[in-house]
Amino acid sequence: MENTKLSPLQLFALLVLFQLGTALVVNLGMEAREDAWIAVLCGMLIGCLLYMGYAYLYITFPDKLPTQYMRLLLGKYLGGIIGLAYILFYMNKSSRDLLDGGLLVFVSTLKETPLFIINTVMMLAVVYVLHKGIEVLARTAFILLWIVFVIGIVILFMLLFSGIIDFTRILPVLSDGFKPVLKSVYRQNYQFPFAEIICITMVMPYLNNKKAGVRAGLMSVLLSGMILSGTAVITISILGVDIAERSIFPLLTLVGKASIADFIQRLDILVVMVLIIGDFFKIAIYFYAAVIGASDLFKIPYRKILYPLALIVLFTSITISRTYSEHVKKGGDVLYIMDPLFYVILPAGLVIAALIYRFRTRRKSGTRIS
Amino acid sequence: MRIRGIGLLVILCVMLPLSGCWDAEELNQRAVVSGIGIDRGPGNNNYVVSLQVIIADEISGKIGRGGTPTTVYSAEGRSIIEAIRKASIQVPRLTSTAHVRIVVISEELAREGISDILDFLDRDSDIRLTAKVFVAKEGIRALDVIAGLSPMGKITAYTLAQKAEISSREFGANYPVEVDDLIRDVLVPNSGPVINGVDIEGSVEEVRKKSNLEATDNLGLLVMSNLAVFKGDQMKGWLNEQESKGFVWLRNLLQNTSIVITPGDQGVITLDVHRGKTSIQAILKDREDPVFIVKVMSQLSVREMDGTVDLRDPAALNEMEKDVNEEIVKNIKAAVQKAQSLNSDIICFGRTLELQHPKVWKQLKSQWSEIFPKVAVEYQVDSIIRNSQMRDRSFKYNLKKE
Amino acid sequence: MLRHLSRGRSGQQTKSNRQLRITGDLQQMLDRIMEESGNSPDIVIRQLKLGGPVPAPVKAAIVYLNALSDQQAINNFVIKPLMEMDPEKVNVYPPDRLIQYILEDALSLGETQVVKEWNDIMLAALSGDTVLLVDGSDQAIISGTAGGEWRAVNEPTSQLVVRGPKDSFVESIATNISLIRRRIKSPDLWLESMKIGSVTHTHVAMMYMKNSADPNLVAEVRRRLQQIQIDGILESAYIEEFIQDKTITPFPTVFNTERPDVAAGNLLEGRVVIIVDGTPYTLILPTVFAQFMQSPEDYAQRFDISILMRVIRYICFVILLLGPAVYIALTTFHYEMIPTLLLVSLMAQREGVPFPAFVEAIFMEVVFEILREAGVRMPRAIGQTVSIVGALILGQAVVEAGIITPIMVIVVALTGIASFALPSYNLSIAGRLFRFYFLVLAGLFGFYGITLGLIMLIAHMNSIRSFGVPYLSPFSPFVPQAQKDAILRLPIWMYGWKPLMSSSQQDVKKTGEIKPMSSGDSSGSSNTGQESQGDSPLNRSHSQKEKDENHPQQDGGRAQQDEGNSQHNGHKTESRKQEDQYEN
């Protein structure tokens, strides 16, 4: 573990950028068609619940990394195996996100550059920043959050002033009832991106203020949920459901439509910038969680294990899927079966174990565990 | 640690020359396409794609050779993208379509169906969704439109796009149609997009020559024409001028237009519409039979008067307003009737029903193509004459007095 | 003109391994002086006979360097009183006692000192002081008679302002210290001095406000200064390189200034100022990035104009970094972003040009750097003209010849001007370096490269610390109070300053009586400076939770000082007057 302290504000910045990272790019909740924004909001609420579960684990063991308290609660071997599973999970997620980001860049701007090079450059940047430590990452996140906000507001104004928004395309609301919304939520929305913040539990022991830190995390879920929901509304308002649901990167398409006075046009590069920044943080945080966990489990210093794992992530990102649709299918079908295991079931088990642990130790020593 | 850092640096430096920046393309190696025209190949099922390429020197450089500011390359292929790539045997630079402003489709092709074209336009990452679409009137090829030159503005595609916008603002018989409007409209049940028409006045041969521009009255000119109605992805017919105007009224896209009335013995009076607002309401007299009420509100001002009406008199104004209302209703009615006769719900009655009575819409959706042509429509027009420019009576009034 | 020889370290040992003490043999001493200085003609040795003829006059000699010392003072206050001493006393006293007598009763100078070390004598003589050696005594008296010529106090050559004080530091450390003292007349302004440089024995002084500077910081600075091992210090930059934190970065982590008002303002905020003899540039540390974007002008104008100016400076920095890179990225990778008519114009310009845009950019940037270097070297009279004319003509000719597109010349010129708009020269150098980095990234990967490069640059800046203070405070560990002076410059009356109380006042406030200052000053909640800054490090407990964002414990206190501050390099004394005016 490093000897640094993060402030709640930095945690907030990290989490917001993390959640917006890839979620802004792809279609969220399109299974619910016009009601995608409702689906996102529901997912946000479920995400808050899950977050409270993760936060509870943090508060129970404020100075321990998850790999440590897993071993504490479940015994050395079982806990170690589960910890290892989480590390592999995070690394897989990290390389999938790397692939997502690389594909985005590949499709929108750098059409000729090999995907490998794009991914390598991103990974180099991630390794460079992580080498300096989580504190640098957090501070950078804070500054970049401001930049992202500013760009976001600029884009919003541009969209408003080009007169292409037509809110009637959202209507009618809930024309097919609530079922499609629920379906979408179940399949996708609560996991992506909200439940993914479980990996922040690896970083939370660095907080210098427990309560404020937990609150910051909650705020970040709410904020990013609202931003994503708003984005869904705007996407559908501008493009209409039909185009939006068939688009791979709807945000790019819709920003491409905005033009003011023939002068400011095709600002989708700004959007790509925002997405690269978000994706960077997503990859970095997932990767960092994996590295810290591995460093803790295998007792290797953090900086040494950084590079080999980075190479693994890089190469995995190229090899996991041969085609884009395979990638999406795996993300949609396969992972939606497997992810709840990591997001819901295992943490639920850990929470129960933690409750039992507290109960037992309280009984044993007769005093409260802080 | 130091060694590692230096090692990393060395790797990076080695990477630089190896990588070679695949994507970088100098500006003077690009052929920037400003307009695309699509025709049917002669006697076969191919597409003939014409590309209007900007020649930068002629427009703003110092070393212009005195040629035309744009040039046209055309090639034939089984699909549009194949044709564009095939055009590279003629074009010495990389065809770059990111600045395409107009897409012109020939009427022949439009009648056959434009779904392939739409798919290409929708999917391509380069072509913007804000490109404007036109249908070339029968007798003209899209190639002719693309190859035309215009006296004002050097890049024809842009002037055409501007013509669409300006005429929609000034005359009200067109409205600018963009690619994504098309795609959305194709998917509306029993409806279809409406696309502007383009025509060439005068000589088709001359319009593409530079000599055309050397006389003050050009021998050939690209002009905006009426609207083409589609059902699904196939064109069904043209709206004439009156119907086009009515259509624009219905769609609530009217900005400015002029209305000419001839009340009784007063001669010809022309009024300008400043603001028009249309709303459609669907009333269910019975479950199967919705009635649509078209409500129009407009504000007008008198522009030209031939008679001796005294505009200070509110009664006279009321009379005029009545006439104006009649005129507007005529236009709208014509549009509705044409749409119903073509059985294409371009006037968005279905959407209105969906928004106002979603449950009924769900029931009627599948039968909409039978119901639509028989739907009853009522009109309520309310116009207000706000002002009469600088004078309140024509000078003829004084003449009359004497 | 202080010579605290005994307090400070006397630098490196001289090469001499002869005896280090004064012997009583006057002639031997004098011979040794002549020998060690190579019979230098500007060392004057004046032999005296003190006292009367009975029993024997005491031989004495004064040694001084005629160029560096104040002849008048020597004649009037050293030689004359010595000549006029009471012979009775002189003959009676043994030599050591005689030294005491001379010290107390004869020399009418202000600064005198008794030394026993050989090195001290040589050093003193070479510094312009007068050495008095008495035969038979192993002590010598050193009198402060330093004089000599130095540059008069003038306008600063860099960091000019339109409104504000126009004096600048000079090469004499005594004058510099006086310029600061003149502005801060507080007993809490403490001064420590030392000699650094084994051969040059350069006088270096460290100034700080006792009750607002973090004692840890001061101790750290002292420690680093004392560790310097070098033969000569000719410029404060040498010291800067020695004492700055060991991170590899082009960004400057120590601020330097030629202006006493800037130095005084920083002192009031709790920073440490290092003054080096022989150069007008003083060092101020610790420093943060935002400080390099501030100019004393900001405080001389109204706040709304200052905010605009500050924002423009930040924009200039961004232009400096990203200007050419964005141009390259747009024209070679992302042509769809350029409005069509501009695109047509750019294309037309490119038609006859042989080089790819990237090569063009590098070429023009290098040429611009060459021009800039040349402009600096030129003598004042023709320097300006040559660089402007050179730039114009070169730019024009190169465009006419069809080698470079006009837009490239515009971009490069704009970048160059943006770099001149930055108030601090060090920062613009760092910016110039980084623009090449961004240029290469843009040439390889377009906007993707620029974005990643930006992330890495921000991460790099975040990882720099200047004496423990994170470089991007107050943005990065976000201190809301400090935002008053970072990018915005809120009106002075919004700063919420409380007057900086001196420690004696603090004692009065707390107990109602004046107490002698105890070491460590743990008494009192020393209400130092602005309430935004919170407490001094001495009372960390009160405002810990507010400030202590993410610092490791060792620089918690220091951090509070510096990021809680409204960093003003300006005229604080004047601003107080302004404050009063507002209250009318």
Side-chain angles (χ1 to χ4, degrees):
Chain A
M1 249 183 72
E2 293 179 64
N3 183 19
T4 52
K5 287 279 164 212
L6 295 183
S7 81
L9 205 55
Q10 289 169 343
L11 189 75
F12 176 75
L14 273 177
L15 280 177
V16 170
L17 281 174
F18 176 79
Q19 289 170 72
L20 292 181
T22 42
L24 270 185
V25 187
V26 299
N27 269 322
L28 276 191
M30 275 306 157
E31 294 215 13
R33 302 200 89 217
E34 286 102 343
D35 304 322
W37 57 283
I38 304 184
V40 171
L41 286 176
C42 292
M44 173 180 91
L45 292 173
I46 300 184
C48 285
L49 272 174
L50 286 175
Y51 176 73
M52 294 318 290
Y54 308 147
Y56 175 72
L57 285 173
Y58 165 62
I59 299 219
T60 320
F61 302 104
D63 298 316
K64 290 191 168 36
L65 287 174
T67 42
Q68 289 169 342
Y69 64 67
M70 273 183 224
R71 279 180 288 177
L72 183 64
L73 289 177
L74 302 174
K76 214 162 82 144
Y77 290 110
L78 186 58
I81 293 181
I82 295 195
L84 188 62
Y86 264 106
I87 292 174
L88 290 176
F89 178 64
Y90 292 151
M91 280 181 59
N92 182 6
K93 281 285 186 198
S94 172
S95 67
R96 286 182 58 86
D97 285 329
L98 183 60
L99 183 60
D100 264 333
L103 275 174
L104 167 71
V105 168
F106 182 71
V107 159
S108 62
T109 65
L110 298 177
K111 300 196 177 71
E112 304 287 327
T113 316
L115 193 60
F116 180 66
I117 298 282
I118 300 181
N119 287 356
T120 307
V121 174
M122 171 72 91
M123 211 57 208
L124 273 176
V126 169
V127 163
Y128 175 76
V129 176
L130 281 186
H131 177 88
K132 295 190 179 287
I134 184 75
E135 192 183 1
V136 169
L137 186 72
R139 291 209 221 129
T140 313
F142 184 72
I143 294 183
L144 284 170
L145 187 67
W146 280 104
I147 296 181
V148 164
F149 273 158
V150 166
I151 297 182
I153 294 184
V154 165
I155 293 180
L156 189 65
F157 272 112
M158 247 187 37
L159 292 174
L160 285 175
F161 282 125
S162 8
I164 47 179
I165 300 187
D166 178 12
F167 281 114
T168 61
R169 297 196 186 123
I170 291 279
L171 306 171
V173 179
L174 290 181
S175 60
D176 290 324
F178 222 77
K179 226 164 55 161
V181 174
L182 285 179
K183 191 150 164 268
S184 167
V185 170
Y186 174 66
R187 281 186 67 102
Q188 182 200 44
N189 283 93
Y190 75 94
Q191 297 173 12
F192 178 69
F194 302 111
E196 292 185 321
I197 60 178
I198 185 174
C199 69
I200 207 74
T201 51
M202 282 286 190
V203 173
M204 283 168 101
Y206 291 117
L207 280 174
N208 64 359
N209 185 334
K210 292 193 271 292
K211 286 234 156 48
V214 169
R215 215 177 25 215
L218 200 60
M219 291 281 123
S220 80
V221 173
L222 290 174
L223 180 68
S224 51
M226 290 202 278
I227 293 179
L228 288 171
S229 177
T231 310
V233 168
I234 292 190
T235 308
I236 299 180
S237 305
I238 295 182
L239 295 178
V241 179
D242 309 296
I243 302 183
E245 74 173 354
R246 289 177 301 117
S247 302
I248 300 182
F249 298 124
L251 204 64
L252 279 187
T253 315
L254 78 90
V255 173
K257 263 194 73 96
S259 84
I260 304 183
D262 280 351
F263 157 61
I264 304 184
Q265 40 189 293
R266 285 299 290 267
L267 288 187
D268 45 343
I269 286 305
L270 277 187
V271 172
V272 174
M273 264 183 78
V274 166
L275 298 174
I276 293 175
I277 294 177
D279 196 45
F280 174 86
F281 279 99
K282 196 150 191 203
I283 300 173
I285 295 176
Y286 260 132
F287 184 56
Y288 182 75
V291 167
I292 283 286
S295 158
D296 183 56
L297 269 186
F298 302 119
K299 302 281 179 282
I300 306 179
Y302 155 71
R303 288 195 166 81
K304 283 217 177 95
I305 206 174
L306 186 68
Y307 296 93
L309 287 184
L311 280 175
I312 295 180
V313 168
L314 179 62
F315 282 102
T316 321
S317 78
I318 309 292
T319 53
I320 41 176
S321 297
R322 284 191 67 208
T323 66
Y324 179 73
S325 38
E326 194 182 330
H327 170 70
V328 167
K329 195 160 174 4
K330 279 190 183 160
D333 294 345
V334 173
L335 281 185
Y336 110 92
I337 302 175
M338 241 206 10
D339 284 354
L341 179 70
F342 288 100
Y343 291 142
V344 181
I345 303 180
L346 281 178
L350 283 171
V351 167
I352 298 177
L355 282 168
I356 300 177
Y357 178 82
R358 268 181 103 162
F359 187 60
R360 249 200 280 154
T361 32
R362 197 191 308 187
R363 267 228 303 217
K364 248 195 237 166
S365 58
T367 55
R368 284 204 59 158
I369 309 271
S370 61
Chain B
M1 216 45 237
R2 271 262 178 97
I3 304 178
R4 216 181 246 172
I6 296 180
L8 205 60
L9 206 61
V10 167
I11 295 178
L12 279 176
C13 294
V14 166
M15 214 177 79
L16 284 178
L18 282 180
S19 59
C21 35
W22 297 261
D23 266 289
E25 198 73 49
E26 289 299 317
L27 277 183
N28 55 351
Q29 288 164 2
R30 289 194 194 263
V32 177
V33 178
S34 56
I36 297 184
I38 310 176
D39 285 304
R40 220 359 136 202
N44 56 16
N45 255 350
N46 287 349
Y47 292 103
V48 175
V49 175
S50 330
L51 303 172
Q52 183 186 92
V53 174
I54 301 177
I55 303 184
D57 287 3
E58 302 296 337
I59 298 181
S60 88
K62 298 173 284 199
I63 30 181
R65 281 173 297 186
T68 51
T70 57
T71 181
V72 174
Y73 294 101
S74 68
E76 190 174 322
R78 283 166 302 173
S79 71
I80 302 183
I81 197 75
E82 183 181 337
I84 293 183
R85 282 196 185 266
K86 201 141 177 230
S88 68
I89 52 180
Q90 303 170 24
V91 184
R93 301 182 180 183
L94 182 66
T95 326
S96 309
T97 48
H99 282 269
V100 166
R101 278 292 195 101
I102 62 169
V103 177
V104 182
I105 309 176
S106 71
E107 184 171 342
E108 183 190 346
L109 204 54
R111 289 200 185 262
E112 284 180 31
I114 53 170
S115 44
D116 329 345
I117 304 176
L118 279 185
D119 181 73
F120 164 67
L121 294 174
D122 183 26
R123 185 180 297 274
D124 191 55
S125 63
D126 246 0
I127 297 188
R128 316 170 183 201
L129 285 182
T130 51
K132 304 219 178 344
V133 187
F134 298 94
V135 173
K137 265 215 143 112
E138 180 129 31
I140 314 174
R141 296 174 298 163
L143 176 58
D144 298 322
V145 176
I146 292 289
L149 291 177
S150 60
M152 287 184 77
K154 293 206 167 158
I155 307 178
T156 319
Y158 287 22
T159 52
L160 255 184
Q162 275 173 325
K163 278 187 224 225
E165 282 178 28
I166 300 281
S167 75
S168 79
R169 263 193 287 163
E170 293 292 310
F171 191 50
N174 301 85
Y175 73 99
V177 183
E178 298 181 351
V179 173
D180 60 331
D181 292 333
L182 286 191
I183 298 170
R184 253 172 291 170
D185 289 341
V186 164
L187 293 169
V188 178
N190 202 41
S191 171
V194 172
I195 307 184
N196 288 312
V198 176
D199 202 357
I200 297 183
E201 238 175 43
S203 161
V204 171
E205 282 307 311
E206 293 294 326
V207 83
R208 62 178 66 194
K209 290 200 197 150
K210 202 148 182 261
S211 52
N212 187 27
L213 302 176
E214 285 167 12
T216 45
D217 58 336
N218 312 99
L219 294 168
L221 196 60
L222 293 170
V223 293
M224 285 278 100
S225 179
N226 301 322
L227 295 169
V229 177
F230 281 68
K231 179 176 167 141
D233 69 329
Q234 290 177 337
M235 182 174 149
K236 290 293 179 199
W238 292 100
L239 297 177
N240 64 20
E241 187 183 302
Q242 190 189 43
E243 293 158 353
S244 303
K245 277 199 186 175
F247 176 73
V248 173
W249 273 109
L250 270 177
R251 279 283 202 125
N252 198 19
L253 289 168
L254 189 78
Q255 291 179 346
N256 284 319
T257 188
S258 62
I259 300 190
V260 177
I261 56 176
T262 50
D265 54 347
Q266 300 292 344
V268 177
I269 305 182
T270 314
L271 302 106
D272 254 1
V273 180
H274 290 304
R275 264 175 247 284
K277 187 154 153 27
T278 313
S279 63
I280 309 180
Q281 205 183 0
I283 301 201
L284 300 167
K285 290 242 173 81
D286 72 65
R287 284 251 114 187
E288 295 276 316
D289 212 357
V291 174
F292 291 94
I293 306 184
V294 177
K295 297 187 192 158
V296 179
M297 286 206 307
S298 63
Q299 295 180 18
L300 308 138
S301 74
V302 179
R303 291 305 293 269
E304 208 179 306
M305 213 168 78
D306 205 12
T308 53
V309 180
D310 184 356
L311 293 172
R312 294 169 301 175
D313 178 13
L317 284 180
N318 271 337
E319 280 300 313
M320 281 171 62
E321 283 171 9
K322 284 210 196 94
D323 289 325
V324 168
N325 291 347
E326 266 178 40
E327 192 66 32
I328 297 179
V329 169
K330 257 198 274 179
N331 286 340
I332 300 183
K333 214 169 184 175
V336 171
Q337 281 169 346
K338 189 66 180 274
Q340 284 182 319
S341 72
L342 291 176
N343 197 7
S344 172
D345 183 15
I346 51 174
I347 41 188
C348 306
F349 280 169
R351 177 83 177 140
T352 315
L353 194 60
E354 177 178 3
L355 284 179
Q356 294 180 4
H357 304 277
K359 295 213 173 49
V360 178
W361 171 248
K362 275 220 187 70
Q363 291 177 322
L364 296 180
K365 199 154 67 169
S366 45
Q367 310 153 335
W368 191 238
S369 56
E370 285 108 39
I371 301 181
F372 174 66
K374 298 181 276 184
V375 151
V377 187
E378 292 169 14
Y379 306 94
Q380 294 173 2
V381 184
D382 179 20
S383 4
I384 307 175
I385 302 183
R386 286 253 179 233
N387 63 48
S388 60
Q389 296 278 304
M390 289 270 137
R391 306 275 178 266
D392 57 12
R393 287 156 290 163
S394 164
F395 65 92
K396 296 198 184 87
Y397 188 79
N398 293 345
L399 269 182
K400 179 183 91 167
K401 274 212 314 210
E402 294 150 19
Chain C
M1 312 185 191
L2 307 165
R3 301 276 179 259
H4 299 275
L5 290 169
S6 52
R7 260 208 241 173
R9 249 188 100 233
S10 60
Q12 289 295 89
Q13 300 294 337
T14 55
K15 295 190 216 77
S16 158
N17 52 6
R18 286 150 68 160
Q19 53 188 147
L20 301 168
R21 310 218 38 187
I22 308 172
T23 65
D25 185 346
L26 183 65
Q27 194 51 46
Q28 185 201 23
M29 302 265 78
L30 294 177
D31 289 339
R32 193 171 159 196
I33 291 178
M34 295 298 292
E35 187 191 329
E36 279 194 6
S37 66
N39 284 330
S40 173
D42 48 349
I43 294 213
V44 175
I45 300 186
R46 172 76 155 88
Q47 310 226 17
L48 305 164
K49 288 210 173 72
L50 304 172
V54 175
V58 179
K59 281 200 271 190
I62 55 172
V63 182
Y64 62 92
L65 204 58
N66 68 355
L68 274 187
S69 48
D70 185 355
Q71 307 268 26
Q72 287 283 352
I74 297 180
N75 294 342
N76 291 334
F77 306 127
V78 178
I79 302 186
K80 193 151 172 275
L82 284 179
M83 299 280 197
E84 290 170 358
M85 277 196 304
D86 185 357
E88 304 278 306
K89 304 274 178 44
V90 172
N91 288 30
V92 158
Y93 289 140
D96 286 338
R97 181 71 183 90
L98 182 61
I99 296 269
Q100 265 320 98
Y101 174 66
I102 296 178
L103 194 62
E104 290 166 3
D105 289 333
L107 289 179
S108 49
L109 276 176
E111 302 163 359
T112 50
Q113 205 175 20
V114 175
V115 295
K116 294 188 180 187
E117 303 272 333
W118 178 255
N119 287 331
D120 294 340
I121 296 187
M122 284 309 292
L123 207 50
L126 290 167
S127 307
D129 295 336
T130 308
V131 179
L132 171 66
L133 294 164
V134 174
D135 195 20
S137 164
D138 67 346
Q139 298 173 348
I141 299 182
I142 302 193
S143 330
T145 53
E149 295 297 317
W150 55 77
R151 194 164 57 97
V153 174
N154 229 336
E155 272 199 38
T157 52
S158 57
Q159 295 178 333
L160 300 166
V161 292
V162 171
R163 172 176 166 176
K166 292 208 197 291
D167 53 352
S168 98
F169 286 129
V170 291
E171 284 76 9
S172 154
I173 194 172
T175 316
N176 294 344
I177 295 178
S178 78
L179 285 172
I180 296 185
R181 284 272 188 208
R182 197 174 297 181
R183 289 176 158 81
I184 303 182
K185 304 185 183 76
S186 160
D188 288 317
L189 179 62
W190 280 20
L191 174 73
E192 289 179 21
S193 87
M194 53 197 83
K195 294 222 194 284
I196 303 183
S198 56
V199 175
T200 58
H201 298 290
T202 314
H203 192 187
V204 173
M206 199 172 98
M207 294 182 83
Y208 55 94
M209 297 291 292
K210 177 63 186 163
N211 58 355
S212 68
D214 179 9
N216 290 335
L217 172 67
V218 174
E220 177 68 18
V221 175
R222 199 183 300 130
R223 188 182 68 83
R224 292 195 196 184
L225 280 174
Q226 286 168 349
Q227 275 184 341
I228 299 180
Q229 306 218 351
I230 189 176
D231 54 351
I233 299 278
L234 298 173
E235 227 286 336
S236 53
Y238 295 105
I239 297 191
E240 179 178 337
E241 285 191 39
F242 269 108
I243 62 176
Q244 63 186 7
D245 289 38
K246 296 280 175 280
T247 42
I248 307 177
T249 168
F251 284 104
T253 52
V254 174
F255 192 63
N256 61 14
T257 176
E258 217 183 359
R259 301 180 56 93
D261 50 336
V262 170
N266 276 300
L267 277 172
L268 288 172
E269 287 177 4
R271 296 204 173 81
V272 174
V273 173
I274 297 181
I275 314 176
V276 177
D277 193 26
T279 171
Y281 285 93
T282 58
L283 302 175
I284 300 182
L285 42 96
T287 185
V288 293
F289 179 72
Q291 196 170 359
F292 290 93
M293 293 292 198
Q294 294 171 340
S295 139
E297 189 92 37
D298 294 341
Y299 305 94
Q301 309 289 349
R302 280 178 53 91
F303 74 97
D304 35 17
I305 301 182
S306 306
I307 293 180
L308 180 67
M309 287 292 121
R310 284 241 177 117
V311 168
I312 289 186
R313 274 181 226 140
Y314 276 95
I315 294 178
C316 281
F317 187 62
V318 172
I319 294 179
L320 171 63
L321 280 183
L322 295 180
V326 166
Y327 169 71
I328 296 284
L330 278 182
T331 54
T332 50
F333 285 87
H334 307 291
Y335 72 102
E336 63 260 10
M337 271 187 77
I338 309 177
T340 318
L341 290 178
L342 180 62
L343 183 66
V344 169
S345 167
L346 287 179
M347 282 170 65
Q349 287 176 19
R350 279 222 74 83
E351 278 300 324
V353 171
F355 301 118
F358 181 64
V359 172
E360 248 193 337
I362 299 245
F363 174 66
M364 278 311 284
E365 292 290 347
V366 169
V367 165
F368 198 82
E369 291 293 323
I370 295 178
L371 270 174
R372 205 200 299 245
E373 267 304 290
V376 168
R377 304 272 165 270
M378 290 284 176
R380 269 243 182 119
I382 48 173
Q384 307 266 32
T385 330
V386 166
S387 52
I388 292 179
V389 168
L392 277 176
I393 301 237
L394 199 62
Q396 186 77 2
V398 123
V399 166
E400 295 268 313
I403 303 181
I404 307 278
T405 52
I407 185 98
M408 189 73 235
V409 174
I410 296 177
V411 167
V412 168
L414 200 63
T415 314
I417 294 176
S419 79
F420 291 133
L422 295 178
S424 159
Y425 187 64
N426 319 24
L427 195 65
S428 70
I429 294 183
R432 279 150 62 185
L433 266 177
F434 275 112
R435 80 169 189 269
F436 285 104
Y437 156 77
F438 275 108
L439 195 56
V440 168
L441 275 178
L444 284 177
F445 297 109
F447 260 101
Y448 179 59
I450 294 182
T451 314
L452 285 182
L454 204 59
I455 296 180
M456 291 208 283
L457 180 69
I458 295 182
H460 173 75
M461 280 167 80
N462 267 314
S463 69
I464 304 175
R465 281 179 184 262
S466 167
F467 281 83
V469 178
Y471 199 58
L472 283 185
S473 328
F475 306 119
S476 164
F478 188 71
V479 182
Q481 298 91 330
Q483 293 305 318
K484 289 185 208 150
D485 204 11
I487 296 193
L488 313 173
R489 207 253 323 157
L490 294 180
I492 298 266
W493 40 266
M494 278 176 81
Y495 279 177
W497 277 328
K498 289 213 182 112
L500 202 68
M501 285 201 286
S502 65
S503 359
S504 48
Q505 287 172 298
Q506 292 156 15
D507 294 334
V508 174
K509 186 175 167 172
K510 177 152 186 191
T511 62
E513 56 174 280
I514 301 185
K515 290 198 305 199
M517 285 200 341
S518 49
S519 67
D521 265 337
S522 48
S523 62
S525 48
S526 32
N527 208 339
T528 59
Q530 312 83 29
E531 75 183 0
S532 64
Q533 164 188 320
D535 297 46
S536 77
L538 312 168
N539 281 307
R540 250 178 263 174
S541 48
H542 293 286
S543 62
Q544 179 83 335
K545 61 175 167 24
E546 209 185 351
K547 292 302 170 312
D548 209 2
E549 298 237 342
N550 68 334
H551 304 294
Q553 287 309 102
Q554 81 244 24
D555 62 346
R558 221 178 289 144
Q560 291 169 18
Q561 302 296 339
D562 301 289
E563 47 197 45
N565 287 338
S566 45
Q567 307 158 12
H568 55 129
N569 299 342
H571 333 278
K572 194 154 180 190
T573 47
E574 276 185 35
S575 355
R576 294 270 174 75
K577 290 190 213 136
Q578 284 177 10
E579 202 176 352
D580 292 333
Q581 285 167 19
Y582 280 126
E583 281 163 350
N584 289 354

